Amino acid sequence: LEHAKAELAAAEESIHKLKAEISADRSGITSLESKLEIERELRSRAEDKESEERRERVACSAQMVAMTQEHARVEAQLKESNEGLERQWREKLAAQMEVFKKKENELLEEKEINTALEGELTSLKQALNDEKNKENAKSAEEIGRLNGEINVLKERLKAESEKSMSLGQATAEQVAALEAQIREGQAERRRMHNVIQELRGNVRVFARVRPFLPGDGVGGDAQPCITPKNETSLVLSKGDEYPFTFDRVFPPSVGQQSVFDEVSEFVQSALDGYSVCLFSYGQTGSGKTHTMQGSGVGQMRGIIPRAIEQVGQYKAALEQERSEERRIGK
């Protein structure tokens, strides 16, 4: 019996040890499960980030292919346009330089007149002093005549000085008048901008054709069934050709900036106080999200982040303008 009790006590002690080991194993398993969950979460985030970067790389690659196809034509147009702009700027610069030289010559003439008058006044004063020293016996009439000439010259010098001061005052008044005209012009610009928008149509439809993506499974020489013909029309080819006309058509080579440039005037209308709605419509995978939201912070930004940037720039411009007005008012 004593032997059996000893064995029972040993068995109970073994059971306690096993329970302690099982509890420790359970704690280790729980810790491992927590670490596994964290690793799964990190892996999921990394996969999402990698997927987003892959989509952006694919979009950039597709757009670069389309832009390369149009490079030769655009380069020729840019060369011709640059030559025309350079010629216009040279003509404008020559005209401005001519005006500047004319104003500079006028200023030099005014300075020469003032210098000549001051020299003449000094000479007459010296002559008067010499006459007084040499000919005290000359008549008062001659002295009066010389004094009269001196007074006339003083008046002329004073008139020239007042003229110079009035020119400066007139310049300040012209600046104020020009600033008032600028404000009136800005108000008129807002009114005319929205009149133009109404004339162009309160409802406008744009079409954008996206380039082939690697996931489309087509070759490099594949021809799309939708082909832009010009800036306002495209053709749907399905055996027969079906032409369609829009307010604006964007070919595959056009980037995010060009699309936003076309719709930025609607953002300006919203800033002027008008109600504006922009939305993208199309089948799945046609590029709606890419057009509206885009990706990253570079050239692939869409309409929404670019519109927010335009609102911020407009706000900064208004603050600067009001600051300038307060400064001039002081």
Side-chain angles (χ1 to χ4, degrees):
L1 181 61
E2 292 296 332
H3 181 69
K5 287 182 179 181
E7 290 181 352
L8 179 61
E12 289 178 352
E13 185 177 356
S14 299
I15 290 172
H16 286 304
K17 290 181 179 180
L18 290 173
K19 286 182 178 180
E21 291 177 358
I22 291 171
S23 178
D25 291 340
R26 285 178 178 175
S27 299
I29 290 172
T30 302
S31 176
L32 290 174
E33 287 178 347
S34 298
K35 292 181 179 179
L36 180 60
E37 186 64 27
I38 293 173
E39 289 182 359
R40 286 176 179 173
E41 180 67 21
L42 292 175
R43 179 175 296 178
S44 176
R45 293 181 181 178
E47 289 176 351
D48 292 341
K49 181 65 176 178
E50 182 181 0
S51 177
E52 181 181 355
E53 292 178 352
R54 187 184 302 111
R55 287 195 298 271
E56 185 171 351
R57 288 196 301 272
V58 168
C60 289
S61 176
Q63 184 176 335
M64 286 297 296
V65 171
M67 291 176 67
T68 302
Q69 294 174 351
E70 292 190 1
H71 177 71
R73 179 180 61 82
V74 173
E75 184 178 7
Q77 291 179 351
L78 285 175
K79 183 177 180 181
E80 182 179 356
S81 176
N82 286 337
E83 289 176 354
L85 289 174
E86 185 176 358
R87 183 172 56 256
Q88 292 177 3
W89 277 110
R90 285 179 178 175
E91 293 174 354
K92 186 180 292 186
L93 180 61
Q96 291 179 350
M97 288 298 296
E98 186 66 25
V99 172
F100 177 76
K101 288 181 179 179
K102 183 178 179 181
K103 295 295 183 183
E104 188 177 20
N105 291 334
E106 291 178 357
L107 181 60
L108 290 174
E109 289 177 359
E110 292 292 333
K111 289 183 178 180
E112 289 176 357
I113 291 173
N114 289 337
T115 302
L117 290 174
E118 290 176 354
E120 188 175 354
L121 177 60
T122 303
S123 299
L124 288 173
K125 285 183 177 179
Q126 186 64 37
L128 179 59
N129 292 328
D130 293 342
E131 288 296 326
K132 285 182 179 179
N133 294 330
K134 292 179 181 179
E135 302 180 4
N136 292 325
K138 281 189 176 181
S139 63
E141 182 178 357
E142 183 68 17
I143 295 175
R145 183 180 65 80
L146 292 174
N147 286 330
E149 291 180 359
I150 292 172
N151 291 331
V152 170
L153 291 174
K154 286 182 178 180
E155 290 296 327
R156 288 176 61 186
L157 181 60
K158 182 179 179 181
E160 290 295 332
S161 299
E162 291 177 351
K163 182 180 178 181
S164 299
M165 293 177 63
S166 65
L167 286 175
Q169 183 177 3
T171 302
E173 293 175 353
Q174 288 176 357
V175 170
L178 288 174
E179 290 176 348
Q181 290 179 4
I182 289 173
R183 288 191 292 270
E184 293 175 358
Q186 289 175 346
E188 182 66 14
R189 192 275 309 160
R190 287 192 291 268
R191 188 184 70 82
M192 292 301 298
H193 172 80
N194 290 284
V195 169
I196 291 172
Q197 298 309 310
E198 293 177 358
L199 292 175
R200 293 179 64 184
N202 287 330
V203 178
R204 276 179 257 173
V205 181
F206 299 156
R208 187 181 189 186
V209 182
R210 77 160 174 83
F212 287 124
L213 301 177
D216 293 335
V218 297
D221 56 349
Q223 296 296 324
C225 62
I226 298 177
T227 306
K229 290 300 181 183
N230 51 48
E231 291 187 350
T232 57
S233 65
L234 54 80
V235 173
L236 174 63
S237 301
K238 284 190 175 181
D240 297 330
E241 292 189 350
Y242 302 92
F244 294 91
T245 301
F246 298 88
D247 293 290
R248 184 72 162 83
V249 173
F250 300 102
S253 60
V254 170
Q256 299 282 68
Q257 182 63 48
S258 298
V259 176
F260 180 73
D261 289 342
E262 189 67 28
V263 302
S264 61
E265 55 191 25
F266 296 116
V267 181
Q268 183 60 50
S269 294
L271 292 172
D272 291 339
Y274 291 80
S275 298
V276 175
C277 175
L278 292 174
F279 69 91
S280 181
Y281 178 80
Q283 69 184 44
T284 301
S286 59
K288 302 183 297 298
T289 303
H290 178 70
T291 297
M292 297 301 294
Q293 183 174 344
S295 59
V297 296
Q299 62 178 352
M300 288 299 164
R301 304 187 321 281
I303 291 176
I304 294 174
R306 292 174 188 268
I308 294 174
E309 291 175 4
Q310 183 174 344
V311 172
Q313 293 170 359
Y314 185 77
K315 172 180 175 292
L318 287 179
E319 290 176 348
Q320 183 178 3
E321 181 180 346
R322 290 176 181 174
S323 176
E324 289 292 332
E325 289 177 354
R326 288 194 294 269
R327 183 180 63 80
I328 294 173
K330 292 180 181 180

